[in-house]
Amino acid sequence: KMVGANHHEVISLLRILPKTEFAFYYNHVNRKGSGNRLIVAVDDLKKFHSENIKNNKSHYPFTGRIFKEKFITFFSKYGARIHFNTFKLDNNKVMKYGIIRKQDLIQDLNLWETL
């Protein structure tokens, strides 16, 4: 059950993303305001980004569209190992979604390296 989330917005995003077996949703709050976030954990980052850039090019920044999955997967090796994209909702709001390798998420949850 999604608490505080617009279920339809999250489902509409998940339907257009490449298939994944694990995702979770949360509400991100900081000094600038709040926003919805979806984290998608995938087995193969390169494959996910390759398919997603092909099907959802507008979700990626200009540099990501030019250099494709090589650019995105390069940055997944550093810092929090997660890349965020934006998805424009029907009501002109933006939802961010992060893509992380499932093994990196599990390791981070166990060892708290970057969370």
Side-chain angles (χ1 to χ4, degrees):
K1 182 177 178 181
M2 294 183 197
V3 178
N6 184 330
H7 180 6
H8 300 291
E9 292 173 349
V10 175
I11 296 302
S12 67
L13 174 55
L14 285 171
R15 282 188 177 143
I16 63 169
L17 295 178
K19 186 179 177 185
T20 184
E21 62 184 70
F22 181 77
F24 64 93
Y25 171 88
Y26 67 99
N27 191 5
H28 173 77
V29 179
N30 63 23
R31 287 179 279 170
K32 296 178 183 178
S34 65
N36 301 327
R37 298 285 196 284
L38 178 70
I39 303 297
V40 178
V42 300
D43 289 319
D44 186 339
L45 277 176
K46 189 174 180 179
K47 180 180 176 186
F48 179 91
H49 285 296
S50 179
E51 289 178 33
N52 201 37
I53 289 170
K54 187 172 133 183
N55 297 328
N56 301 300
K57 187 184 261 186
S58 66
H59 294 190
Y60 288 84
F62 181 71
T63 49
R65 285 182 249 165
I66 290 175
F67 297 106
K68 310 240 187 259
E69 69 279 349
K70 290 178 186 176
F71 176 79
I72 307 303
T73 55
F74 172 80
F75 288 106
S76 69
K77 296 175 185 174
Y78 303 99
R81 296 184 217 130
I82 189 166
H83 172 77
F84 279 92
N85 284 338
T86 56
F87 171 62
K88 193 172 185 180
L89 302 165
D90 292 336
N91 57 9
N92 287 328
K93 288 184 185 177
V94 172
M95 180 189 300
K96 289 189 177 185
Y97 65 99
I99 303 98
I100 187 168
R101 204 169 64 98
K102 188 171 22 173
Q103 190 58 40
D104 291 335
L105 176 63
I106 292 167
Q107 182 174 335
D108 213 14
L109 290 170
N110 284 317
L111 302 175
W112 293 94
E113 294 176 332
T114 63
L115 285 174

